[in-house]
Amino acid sequence: MAGEVTTPLLPCGDVDEIAEFYAMLGFERTYRQLRPNPYVAVRREDLHLHFFGMPGFDPEQSYGTCLVQVPDIGALFEAFAAGMRAAHGKLLVKGIPRMTRPRVRKNMGGLTGFSVVDPGGNWIRIVSREQASLATTKLGRALENAVVQGDSRGDVAQAAKILSAALERERASAPAADVAAAEAYLAELRES
């Protein structure tokens, strides 16, 4: 069979807060229900997300996640970032909600991706359909490992530890592009 569509149903504490957050990213609300159970649906082009409200829900404890494959990750990231900057004056890179920058994901088989962590603590993992090359240098591999820890798992402290140690060991012998990428990500992690 072909033409199937899958739409994730993700938890949140407040469906209106979720709808407002996604409106900032360019989504439109397509459905809202408060009774008998809170529920909201949002859409941006072909990307549909649905949320159900749970009183007392703790976003820090959320396991909600979904994977979205897109043809042009850069354009979607820039659109989301523009909405976030318009609403907050900056890209939110720490806490809940937040958004990571596009990077090659070793744990996604070399796909480039970024994540949006919404007010419900749900991880919307957005990846390119095109595979990138994985790192070939020690510092490049350390950067990939740090991305897994920081961007994919949310363990900023471990990511910073990995990069700090790798930079200390490899800075003198690593290619300048690897050093610049590692330093930039380390600076971003330290802002978190």
Side-chain angles (χ1 to χ4, degrees):
M1 190 179 318
E4 297 85 1
V5 175
T6 301
T7 303
L9 303 173
L10 301 166
C12 66
D14 183 329
V15 295
D16 290 328
E17 178 184 33
I18 283 287
E20 183 178 313
F21 174 80
Y22 282 98
M24 171 188 67
L25 299 181
F27 285 75
E28 66 176 305
R29 186 179 75 199
T30 59
Y31 182 77
R32 178 178 180 264
Q33 167 185 304
L34 293 180
R35 288 189 178 82
N37 302 303
Y39 191 92
V40 69
V42 297
R43 179 184 79 210
R44 179 186 169 99
E45 297 176 359
D46 292 331
L47 177 52
H48 297 259
L49 300 171
H50 291 212
F51 300 90
F52 59 95
M54 295 176 61
F57 183 75
D58 180 2
E60 294 280 340
Q61 301 302 314
S62 179
Y63 286 97
T65 190
C66 71
L67 182 66
V68 178
Q69 293 181 310
V70 299
D72 188 350
I73 197 162
L76 188 58
F77 174 80
E78 289 304 325
F80 284 5
M84 204 174 266
R85 287 183 185 110
H88 298 281
K90 63 180 181 177
L91 188 65
L92 303 175
V93 296
K94 62 182 176 178
I96 295 177
R98 70 179 175 276
M99 185 168 73
T100 66
R101 298 182 195 283
R103 296 184 230 295
V104 174
R105 306 284 193 206
K106 175 180 109 175
N107 58 329
M108 295 293 297
L111 295 175
T112 299
F114 70 95
S115 296
V116 173
V117 181
D118 68 25
N122 300 298
W123 287 66
I124 312 304
R125 299 170 191 274
I126 301 164
V127 297
S128 172
R129 291 184 184 143
E130 302 294 322
Q131 191 168 8
S133 298
L134 292 173
T136 58
T137 66
K138 288 181 182 180
L139 185 56
R141 287 190 296 275
L143 177 58
E144 289 173 347
N145 289 332
V147 168
V148 170
Q149 294 300 315
D151 288 1
S152 297
R153 294 189 63 220
D155 191 342
V156 172
Q158 183 63 26
K161 182 178 176 182
I162 289 168
L163 270 187
S164 293
L167 275 166
E168 189 174 312
R169 281 190 319 269
E170 304 296 328
R171 184 184 307 272
S173 61
D178 285 0
V179 172
E183 286 177 340
Y185 187 43
L186 184 59
E188 184 178 321
L189 290 168
R190 289 180 173 154
E191 287 178 15
S192 297

Short mmCIF file of all heavy atoms in Angstrom, two decimals, residues 25-64:
data_model
loop_
_atom_site.label_atom_id
_atom_site.label_comp_id
_atom_site.label_asym_id
_atom_site.label_seq_id
_atom_site.Cartn_x
_atom_site.Cartn_y
_atom_site.Cartn_z
N LEU A 25 6.71 29.12 15.07
CA LEU A 25 7.54 28.42 14.10
C LEU A 25 6.88 28.36 12.72
O LEU A 25 7.41 27.72 11.81
CB LEU A 25 7.86 27.00 14.58
CG LEU A 25 8.62 26.89 15.90
CD1 LEU A 25 8.89 25.43 16.24
CD2 LEU A 25 9.91 27.68 15.89
N GLY A 26 5.72 29.00 12.57
CA GLY A 26 5.07 29.05 11.27
C GLY A 26 3.98 28.00 11.04
O GLY A 26 3.52 27.82 9.93
N PHE A 27 3.56 27.33 12.10
CA PHE A 27 2.48 26.35 12.00
C PHE A 27 1.15 27.07 12.18
O PHE A 27 1.06 28.12 12.82
CB PHE A 27 2.60 25.30 13.11
CG PHE A 27 3.69 24.29 12.90
CD1 PHE A 27 5.03 24.62 13.11
CD2 PHE A 27 3.39 22.99 12.54
CE1 PHE A 27 6.03 23.69 12.95
CE2 PHE A 27 4.39 22.05 12.37
CZ PHE A 27 5.71 22.40 12.58
N GLU A 28 0.10 26.47 11.64
CA GLU A 28 -1.25 26.97 11.88
C GLU A 28 -2.00 25.93 12.71
O GLU A 28 -1.78 24.72 12.56
CB GLU A 28 -1.99 27.24 10.57
CG GLU A 28 -2.25 25.98 9.76
CD GLU A 28 -3.06 26.25 8.50
OE1 GLU A 28 -4.16 26.81 8.61
OE2 GLU A 28 -2.56 25.87 7.43
N ARG A 29 -2.85 26.41 13.58
CA ARG A 29 -3.68 25.49 14.37
C ARG A 29 -4.82 25.01 13.47
O ARG A 29 -5.53 25.82 12.88
CB ARG A 29 -4.23 26.19 15.61
CG ARG A 29 -4.97 25.23 16.52
CD ARG A 29 -5.48 25.90 17.76
NE ARG A 29 -6.65 26.71 17.35
CZ ARG A 29 -7.15 27.70 18.05
NH1 ARG A 29 -6.59 28.07 19.16
NH2 ARG A 29 -8.21 28.33 17.63
N THR A 30 -5.00 23.70 13.37
CA THR A 30 -6.05 23.15 12.51
C THR A 30 -7.20 22.55 13.33
O THR A 30 -8.26 22.29 12.77
CB THR A 30 -5.48 22.07 11.57
OG1 THR A 30 -4.89 21.03 12.35
CG2 THR A 30 -4.46 22.68 10.62
N TYR A 31 -6.98 22.33 14.62
CA TYR A 31 -8.03 21.77 15.46
C TYR A 31 -7.71 22.07 16.92
O TYR A 31 -6.54 22.04 17.32
CB TYR A 31 -8.13 20.25 15.26
CG TYR A 31 -9.22 19.60 16.06
CD1 TYR A 31 -10.55 19.70 15.68
CD2 TYR A 31 -8.92 18.90 17.23
CE1 TYR A 31 -11.56 19.11 16.42
CE2 TYR A 31 -9.92 18.30 17.97
CZ TYR A 31 -11.24 18.41 17.57
OH TYR A 31 -12.23 17.83 18.31
N ARG A 32 -8.75 22.35 17.71
CA ARG A 32 -8.57 22.58 19.15
C ARG A 32 -9.80 22.04 19.86
O ARG A 32 -10.94 22.31 19.45
CB ARG A 32 -8.42 24.06 19.45
CG ARG A 32 -8.29 24.36 20.94
CD ARG A 32 -8.09 25.87 21.15
NE ARG A 32 -7.96 26.23 22.53
CZ ARG A 32 -8.96 26.66 23.29
NH1 ARG A 32 -10.18 26.79 22.79
NH2 ARG A 32 -8.75 26.98 24.54
N GLN A 33 -9.56 21.30 20.92
CA GLN A 33 -10.64 20.75 21.74
C GLN A 33 -10.22 20.84 23.20
O GLN A 33 -9.07 20.54 23.53
CB GLN A 33 -10.86 19.28 21.34
CG GLN A 33 -11.72 18.48 22.27
CD GLN A 33 -11.76 17.02 21.86
OE1 GLN A 33 -12.13 16.72 20.73
NE2 GLN A 33 -11.37 16.12 22.75
N LEU A 34 -11.13 21.27 24.06
CA LEU A 34 -10.83 21.30 25.49
C LEU A 34 -11.57 20.21 26.25
O LEU A 34 -11.10 19.74 27.28
CB LEU A 34 -11.14 22.67 26.08
CG LEU A 34 -10.23 23.81 25.58
CD1 LEU A 34 -10.61 25.12 26.23
CD2 LEU A 34 -8.76 23.48 25.85
N ARG A 35 -12.75 19.83 25.79
CA ARG A 35 -13.55 18.81 26.46
C ARG A 35 -13.98 17.75 25.48
O ARG A 35 -14.28 18.08 24.33
CB ARG A 35 -14.79 19.47 27.09
CG ARG A 35 -14.42 20.30 28.30
CD ARG A 35 -15.69 20.76 29.03
NE ARG A 35 -15.34 21.51 30.21
CZ ARG A 35 -15.01 22.78 30.23
NH1 ARG A 35 -14.98 23.47 29.11
NH2 ARG A 35 -14.72 23.38 31.35
N PRO A 36 -14.02 16.52 25.83
CA PRO A 36 -13.77 16.00 27.17
C PRO A 36 -12.29 15.92 27.51
O PRO A 36 -11.93 15.81 28.66
CB PRO A 36 -14.40 14.61 27.14
CG PRO A 36 -14.29 14.17 25.72
CD PRO A 36 -14.43 15.44 24.90
N ASN A 37 -11.41 15.99 26.50
CA ASN A 37 -9.96 15.95 26.74
C ASN A 37 -9.28 17.03 25.91
O ASN A 37 -9.61 17.21 24.74
CB ASN A 37 -9.39 14.58 26.33
CG ASN A 37 -10.03 13.44 27.05
OD1 ASN A 37 -10.02 13.41 28.27
ND2 ASN A 37 -10.62 12.52 26.31
N PRO A 38 -8.32 17.76 26.51
CA PRO A 38 -7.60 18.79 25.75
C PRO A 38 -6.82 18.17 24.59
O PRO A 38 -6.14 17.15 24.75
CB PRO A 38 -6.65 19.40 26.76
CG PRO A 38 -7.12 18.95 28.10
CD PRO A 38 -7.86 17.67 27.90
N TYR A 39 -6.94 18.81 23.43
CA TYR A 39 -6.30 18.28 22.22
C TYR A 39 -6.12 19.43 21.24
O TYR A 39 -6.99 20.28 21.10
CB TYR A 39 -7.22 17.22 21.58
CG TYR A 39 -6.60 16.41 20.49
CD1 TYR A 39 -5.98 15.20 20.77
CD2 TYR A 39 -6.63 16.83 19.17
CE1 TYR A 39 -5.42 14.43 19.76
CE2 TYR A 39 -6.07 16.06 18.15
CZ TYR A 39 -5.47 14.87 18.46
OH TYR A 39 -4.91 14.11 17.48
N VAL A 40 -4.98 19.47 20.56
CA VAL A 40 -4.75 20.49 19.54
C VAL A 40 -3.93 19.86 18.41
O VAL A 40 -3.09 18.99 18.65
CB VAL A 40 -4.03 21.75 20.11
CG1 VAL A 40 -2.60 21.46 20.51
CG2 VAL A 40 -4.11 22.92 19.16
N ALA A 41 -4.22 20.29 17.19
CA ALA A 41 -3.48 19.86 16.02
C ALA A 41 -2.91 21.09 15.33
O ALA A 41 -3.58 22.12 15.22
CB ALA A 41 -4.40 19.10 15.06
N VAL A 42 -1.66 20.96 14.87
CA VAL A 42 -1.00 22.05 14.14
C VAL A 42 -0.42 21.49 12.85
O VAL A 42 -0.12 20.30 12.75
CB VAL A 42 0.10 22.75 14.99
CG1 VAL A 42 -0.50 23.40 16.22
CG2 VAL A 42 1.20 21.78 15.38
N ARG A 43 -0.27 22.40 11.87
CA ARG A 43 0.25 21.99 10.57
C ARG A 43 1.12 23.10 9.98
O ARG A 43 0.79 24.28 10.08
CB ARG A 43 -0.90 21.70 9.62
CG ARG A 43 -0.42 21.28 8.23
CD ARG A 43 -1.55 21.09 7.26
NE ARG A 43 -1.97 22.43 6.81
CZ ARG A 43 -3.19 22.75 6.43
NH1 ARG A 43 -4.16 21.88 6.47
NH2 ARG A 43 -3.45 23.95 6.01
N ARG A 44 2.18 22.68 9.36
CA ARG A 44 3.03 23.58 8.54
C ARG A 44 3.29 22.81 7.26
O ARG A 44 4.02 21.81 7.27
CB ARG A 44 4.33 23.91 9.26
CG ARG A 44 5.24 24.81 8.44
CD ARG A 44 6.58 25.00 9.13
NE ARG A 44 7.48 25.63 8.21
CZ ARG A 44 7.76 26.93 8.19
NH1 ARG A 44 7.24 27.73 9.08
NH2 ARG A 44 8.58 27.43 7.28
N GLU A 45 2.67 23.23 6.19
CA GLU A 45 2.72 22.52 4.91
C GLU A 45 2.32 21.06 5.13
O GLU A 45 1.23 20.80 5.60
CB GLU A 45 4.09 22.70 4.25
CG GLU A 45 4.37 24.16 3.91
CD GLU A 45 5.75 24.41 3.35
OE1 GLU A 45 6.54 23.45 3.22
OE2 GLU A 45 6.05 25.57 3.03
N ASP A 46 3.20 20.09 4.85
CA ASP A 46 2.86 18.68 5.02
C ASP A 46 3.23 18.11 6.39
O ASP A 46 3.07 16.92 6.63
CB ASP A 46 3.54 17.83 3.94
CG ASP A 46 3.00 18.12 2.55
OD1 ASP A 46 1.82 18.49 2.45
OD2 ASP A 46 3.76 17.96 1.58
N LEU A 47 3.72 18.95 7.28
CA LEU A 47 4.13 18.51 8.61
C LEU A 47 2.96 18.71 9.58
O LEU A 47 2.55 19.85 9.84
CB LEU A 47 5.36 19.29 9.06
CG LEU A 47 5.90 19.03 10.46
CD1 LEU A 47 6.13 17.55 10.71
CD2 LEU A 47 7.19 19.79 10.65
N HIS A 48 2.42 17.63 10.09
CA HIS A 48 1.29 17.66 11.02
C HIS A 48 1.74 17.11 12.37
O HIS A 48 2.36 16.05 12.45
CB HIS A 48 0.16 16.76 10.51
CG HIS A 48 -0.42 17.21 9.21
ND1 HIS A 48 -1.59 17.90 9.13
CD2 HIS A 48 0.04 17.07 7.94
CE1 HIS A 48 -1.85 18.16 7.86
NE2 HIS A 48 -0.86 17.67 7.12
N LEU A 49 1.42 17.81 13.45
CA LEU A 49 1.69 17.37 14.80
C LEU A 49 0.41 17.52 15.62
O LEU A 49 -0.27 18.55 15.51
CB LEU A 49 2.80 18.20 15.44
CG LEU A 49 4.18 18.19 14.75
CD1 LEU A 49 5.09 19.23 15.37
CD2 LEU A 49 4.80 16.82 14.82
N HIS A 50 0.11 16.53 16.44
CA HIS A 50 -1.07 16.58 17.31
C HIS A 50 -0.61 16.41 18.75
O HIS A 50 0.33 15.66 19.02
CB HIS A 50 -2.05 15.48 16.93
CG HIS A 50 -2.71 15.69 15.61
ND1 HIS A 50 -3.99 15.27 15.36
CD2 HIS A 50 -2.29 16.27 14.45
CE1 HIS A 50 -4.33 15.58 14.12
NE2 HIS A 50 -3.30 16.18 13.55
N PHE A 51 -1.31 17.09 19.66
CA PHE A 51 -0.93 17.09 21.08
C PHE A 51 -2.15 16.85 21.94
O PHE A 51 -3.22 17.40 21.68
CB PHE A 51 -0.29 18.43 21.45
CG PHE A 51 0.95 18.73 20.66
CD1 PHE A 51 0.87 19.41 19.45
CD2 PHE A 51 2.19 18.31 21.10
CE1 PHE A 51 2.00 19.68 18.70
CE2 PHE A 51 3.33 18.57 20.36
CZ PHE A 51 3.23 19.26 19.15
N PHE A 52 -1.97 16.08 22.99
CA PHE A 52 -3.03 15.90 23.97
C PHE A 52 -2.55 16.45 25.30
O PHE A 52 -1.40 16.30 25.68
CB PHE A 52 -3.44 14.42 24.09
CG PHE A 52 -2.31 13.49 24.47
CD1 PHE A 52 -2.11 13.13 25.80
CD2 PHE A 52 -1.48 12.95 23.51
CE1 PHE A 52 -1.10 12.26 26.16
CE2 PHE A 52 -0.46 12.08 23.85
CZ PHE A 52 -0.26 11.73 25.18
N GLY A 53 -3.44 17.14 26.00
CA GLY A 53 -3.10 17.76 27.27
C GLY A 53 -3.22 16.78 28.43
O GLY A 53 -4.15 15.97 28.46
N MET A 54 -2.28 16.87 29.35
CA MET A 54 -2.29 16.05 30.56
C MET A 54 -2.08 16.97 31.75
O MET A 54 -1.00 17.54 31.90
CB MET A 54 -1.17 15.01 30.52
CG MET A 54 -1.29 13.98 29.43
SD MET A 54 0.12 12.84 29.38
CE MET A 54 0.05 12.09 31.00
N PRO A 55 -3.09 17.16 32.58
CA PRO A 55 -2.92 18.01 33.77
C PRO A 55 -1.75 17.52 34.62
O PRO A 55 -1.57 16.32 34.83
CB PRO A 55 -4.25 17.85 34.51
CG PRO A 55 -5.22 17.40 33.46
CD PRO A 55 -4.42 16.58 32.49
N GLY A 56 -0.92 18.45 35.07
CA GLY A 56 0.23 18.12 35.91
C GLY A 56 1.40 17.51 35.17
O GLY A 56 2.37 17.07 35.78
N PHE A 57 1.35 17.52 33.85
CA PHE A 57 2.43 16.93 33.05
C PHE A 57 3.72 17.71 33.25
O PHE A 57 3.74 18.93 33.23
CB PHE A 57 2.04 16.92 31.57
CG PHE A 57 3.06 16.27 30.69
CD1 PHE A 57 3.19 14.89 30.66
CD2 PHE A 57 3.89 17.02 29.88
CE1 PHE A 57 4.13 14.27 29.85
CE2 PHE A 57 4.84 16.42 29.07
CZ PHE A 57 4.96 15.04 29.06
N ASP A 58 4.84 17.00 33.46
CA ASP A 58 6.15 17.62 33.67
C ASP A 58 6.99 17.47 32.40
O ASP A 58 7.43 16.37 32.08
CB ASP A 58 6.85 16.94 34.84
CG ASP A 58 8.23 17.53 35.14
OD1 ASP A 58 8.65 18.51 34.46
OD2 ASP A 58 8.90 17.02 36.06
N PRO A 59 7.21 18.57 31.67
CA PRO A 59 7.99 18.50 30.42
C PRO A 59 9.40 17.92 30.61
O PRO A 59 9.94 17.29 29.70
CB PRO A 59 8.08 19.94 29.94
CG PRO A 59 7.00 20.66 30.65
CD PRO A 59 6.76 19.93 31.93
N GLU A 60 9.98 18.11 31.78
CA GLU A 60 11.33 17.57 32.04
C GLU A 60 11.32 16.04 32.03
O GLU A 60 12.36 15.42 31.81
CB GLU A 60 11.84 18.06 33.40
CG GLU A 60 12.10 19.55 33.47
CD GLU A 60 13.43 19.95 32.84
OE1 GLU A 60 14.32 19.09 32.69
OE2 GLU A 60 13.57 21.13 32.50
N GLN A 61 10.18 15.43 32.25
CA GLN A 61 10.07 13.97 32.31
C GLN A 61 9.52 13.37 31.01
O GLN A 61 9.26 12.18 30.94
CB GLN A 61 9.16 13.56 33.48
CG GLN A 61 9.65 14.04 34.82
CD GLN A 61 11.06 13.55 35.15
OE1 GLN A 61 11.38 12.38 34.97
NE2 GLN A 61 11.91 14.46 35.60
N SER A 62 9.35 14.19 29.99
CA SER A 62 8.73 13.73 28.75
C SER A 62 9.63 12.78 27.97
O SER A 62 10.84 13.01 27.87
CB SER A 62 8.38 14.92 27.86
OG SER A 62 7.80 14.47 26.66
N TYR A 63 9.03 11.75 27.43
CA TYR A 63 9.70 10.86 26.50
C TYR A 63 9.14 11.05 25.10
O TYR A 63 9.46 10.30 24.19
CB TYR A 63 9.51 9.39 26.92
CG TYR A 63 10.34 9.01 28.11
CD1 TYR A 63 9.79 9.01 29.39
CD2 TYR A 63 11.67 8.65 27.97
CE1 TYR A 63 10.55 8.65 30.49
CE2 TYR A 63 12.44 8.29 29.06
CZ TYR A 63 11.86 8.30 30.33
OH TYR A 63 12.63 7.95 31.41
N GLY A 64 8.29 12.06 24.90
CA GLY A 64 7.68 12.31 23.60
C GLY A 64 8.72 12.70 22.57
O GLY A 64 9.56 13.57 22.81
#
